[in-house]
Amino acid sequence: MGDIDEAFIQSVEHRPKSTTVEAQSIPVINLSALNSQHCSSNSSSSMEDLIVQVGEACKKWGFFQVINHGVPSSCREKVEVASRAFFRQPSEEKRKVRRDEANPMGFYDTEHTKNIRDWKQVFDFTVENPTVVPASHEPDDVELQEIVNQWPEYPPNFREACEEYTREIVKLAYKLLELISLSLGLPAEKFNGFFKNQTSFMRLNYYPVCPVPHLALGVGRHKDSGALTVLSQDDVGGLEVKRKSDGEWVLVRPTPNAYIINVGDVIQVWSNDKYESVEHRVIVNSERERFSIPFFFNPSHAVMVEPLKELTSKQNPARYKPYNWGKFHTTRNISNFKKLNVENVQIYHFRI
């Protein structure tokens, strides 16, 4: 393999194909109806149509794109510029804010997915600073700890750009959460209380040019464990989604100024499998580096995740046992740094 560490090499069945299938039919949903201040019959009809579109996208794909979302383009541009400046620094500078087992926020360049190393670098920071989470994955340990963001000195406007952008994305995430709730036949704010003292975090991704894009992946196949992911990707693209209808990997082409949304495991459980968290991955590029910014919208550490009573019945009984989000999340985080005496936890472990 020359200079390429074998830790990056995917097994044959999981390597990218030489030809890609484009996801022409991943829905692009216009959110302009949310910004209408007029309570007319037309705006009411537009909202009903919007709710139906969101529900159909969640059911058929688990993914959709949104336009006219209300996030200022200037705000997004600032964080993109700051991200590029940070990642283009020498490694020794980035490692000054390197994350570790004690603090999982900051810079990291040796992340693994399914035990294969990802071809990427990341910088993570929480929405709430500090964020409270369980101190360990052990079920009987009730101790909590505070996770505090660590910010680099360069670029000088990095923290300001990140925090300003986060405020706007959180607003969008709540709007999307309410649309999903309405699409399930629930009150708009049904889920909101679960996000008081949220454990949400933002990630800046950097995928360097890769000399072996046919062997490695930027991120291996996975499902998102939280409630909702809001992704900004640049014009290079690289996100592939596993199509539910036939299991084919399809490429999501970048749509200018859009966000890509996907439901995570938490919404799959809350909806009792009506909406499914879908597998996805990131391919790499031999000619251009790629940047993306996912926001992971996660509930409070204290939330017990289980199918909502309103969505279960004798004919449709609960398909999952309750699990604590904080312990679930902490198990995932700690397992990034050391092998635990438990299997990497997944929602299927709680399936009834």
Side-chain angles (χ1 to χ4, degrees), residues 29 31 34 46-64 173-192 227-228 261-263 267-268 270-276 308 310-311:
I29 299 177
L31 297 183
L34 287 179
S46 297
M47 270 301 294
E48 287 173 13
D49 185 47
L50 178 56
I51 292 162
V52 169
Q53 287 182 61
V54 168
E56 286 297 304
C58 290
K59 199 180 301 179
K60 290 180 179 176
W61 280 95
F63 271 81
F64 55 96
Y174 272 111
K175 290 177 186 176
L176 294 164
L177 192 71
E178 291 180 4
L179 285 170
I180 289 169
S181 185
L182 289 165
S183 75
L184 288 165
L186 301 167
E189 297 184 352
K190 174 65 182 179
F191 296 126
N192 292 19
L228 202 61
I261 315 300
N262 64 282
V263 297
I267 282 180
Q268 178 170 333
W270 280 340
S271 73
N272 205 33
D273 284 348
K274 184 169 183 180
Y275 296 161
E276 184 185 349
L308 295 177
E310 296 94 325
L311 301 177

Side-chain angles (χ1 to χ4, degrees), residues 21-27 56-63 241-250 276-279:
V21 179
E22 287 194 31
Q24 299 285 11
S25 51
I26 279 189
E56 286 297 304
C58 290
K59 199 180 301 179
K60 290 180 179 176
W61 280 95
F63 271 81
V241 175
K242 197 169 192 178
R243 189 161 54 197
K244 289 176 70 174
S245 60
D246 58 6
E248 183 74 57
W249 286 105
V250 292
E276 184 185 349
S277 174
V278 173
E279 214 167 28

Side-chain angles (χ1 to χ4, degrees), residues 138-197:
E138 298 292 348
D140 298 328
D141 185 358
V142 296
E143 186 181 350
L144 300 174
Q145 67 171 345
E146 289 187 342
I147 293 175
V148 180
N149 289 331
Q150 44 180 345
W151 298 103
E153 292 181 8
Y154 180 85
N157 63 335
F158 185 84
R159 177 176 181 172
E160 179 189 348
C162 288
E163 291 182 337
E164 179 188 357
Y165 179 72
T166 300
R167 286 191 291 272
E168 295 297 331
I169 294 298
V170 168
K171 289 180 199 171
L172 174 59
Y174 272 111
K175 290 177 186 176
L176 294 164
L177 192 71
E178 291 180 4
L179 285 170
I180 289 169
S181 185
L182 289 165
S183 75
L184 288 165
L186 301 167
E189 297 184 352
K190 174 65 182 179
F191 296 126
N192 292 19
F194 296 130
F195 293 85
K196 185 181 179 185
N197 304 317

Side-chain angles (χ1 to χ4, degrees), residues 86 89 93-108 122-131 146-155 158-160 162-163 202 204 337:
F86 172 77
Q89 294 181 98
E93 289 300 314
K94 291 180 280 194
R95 287 180 179 142
K96 289 177 181 177
V97 287
R98 186 176 175 84
R99 75 186 205 193
D100 55 30
E101 188 183 336
N103 186 357
M105 294 299 122
F107 172 75
Y108 200 54
V122 306
F123 182 88
D124 291 342
F125 58 96
T126 59
V127 168
E128 298 196 354
N129 189 31
T131 290
E146 289 187 342
I147 293 175
V148 180
N149 289 331
Q150 44 180 345
W151 298 103
E153 292 181 8
Y154 180 85
F158 185 84
R159 177 176 181 172
E160 179 189 348
C162 288
E163 291 182 337
M202 191 80 74
L204 309 181
F337 298 95

Side-chain angles (χ1 to χ4, degrees), residues 145-351:
Q145 67 171 345
E146 289 187 342
I147 293 175
V148 180
N149 289 331
Q150 44 180 345
W151 298 103
E153 292 181 8
Y154 180 85
N157 63 335
F158 185 84
R159 177 176 181 172
E160 179 189 348
C162 288
E163 291 182 337
E164 179 188 357
Y165 179 72
T166 300
R167 286 191 291 272
E168 295 297 331
I169 294 298
V170 168
K171 289 180 199 171
L172 174 59
Y174 272 111
K175 290 177 186 176
L176 294 164
L177 192 71
E178 291 180 4
L179 285 170
I180 289 169
S181 185
L182 289 165
S183 75
L184 288 165
L186 301 167
E189 297 184 352
K190 174 65 182 179
F191 296 126
N192 292 19
F194 296 130
F195 293 85
K196 185 181 179 185
N197 304 317
Q198 61 186 284
T199 55
S200 306
F201 69 99
M202 191 80 74
R203 167 166 288 181
L204 309 181
N205 280 324
Y206 170 51
Y207 302 94
V209 167
C210 179
V212 288
H214 59 296
L215 299 177
L217 287 168
V219 184
R221 70 197 192 284
H222 68 286
K223 298 182 178 187
D224 291 347
S225 59
L228 202 61
T229 304
V230 180
L231 172 71
S232 161
Q233 66 169 346
D234 65 12
D235 64 333
V236 177
L239 174 67
E240 288 191 332
V241 175
K242 197 169 192 178
R243 189 161 54 197
K244 289 176 70 174
S245 60
D246 58 6
E248 183 74 57
W249 286 105
V250 292
L251 183 67
V252 182
R253 287 282 178 195
T255 299
N257 303 316
Y259 285 98
I260 299 168
I261 315 300
N262 64 282
V263 297
D265 290 346
V266 168
I267 282 180
Q268 178 170 333
V269 174
W270 280 340
S271 73
N272 205 33
D273 284 348
K274 184 169 183 180
Y275 296 161
E276 184 185 349
S277 174
V278 173
E279 214 167 28
H280 50 287
R281 67 185 187 182
V282 175
I283 58 173
V284 281
N285 197 297
S286 61
E287 298 175 0
R288 294 181 65 190
E289 60 187 0
R290 175 181 183 253
F291 297 86
S292 72
I293 309 174
F295 167 67
F296 300 100
F297 198 29
N298 296 334
S300 160
H301 74 88
V303 166
M304 294 300 295
V305 181
E306 60 186 312
L308 295 177
K309 289 183 174 56
E310 296 94 325
L311 301 177
T312 59
S313 63
K314 283 186 178 180
Q315 294 74 32
N316 183 33
R319 300 182 184 186
Y320 298 90
K321 295 177 287 188
Y323 66 89
N324 174 256
W325 166 252
K327 288 293 182 184
F328 186 101
H329 187 51
T330 296
T331 304
R332 287 286 192 92
N333 273 342
I334 295 174
S335 66
N336 284 335
F337 298 95
K338 64 180 181 182
K339 188 168 177 59
L340 301 177
N341 59 349
V342 291
E343 185 183 350
N344 189 16
V345 65
Q346 308 283 348
I347 58 169
Y348 64 72
H349 291 128
F350 302 96
R351 190 177 280 280

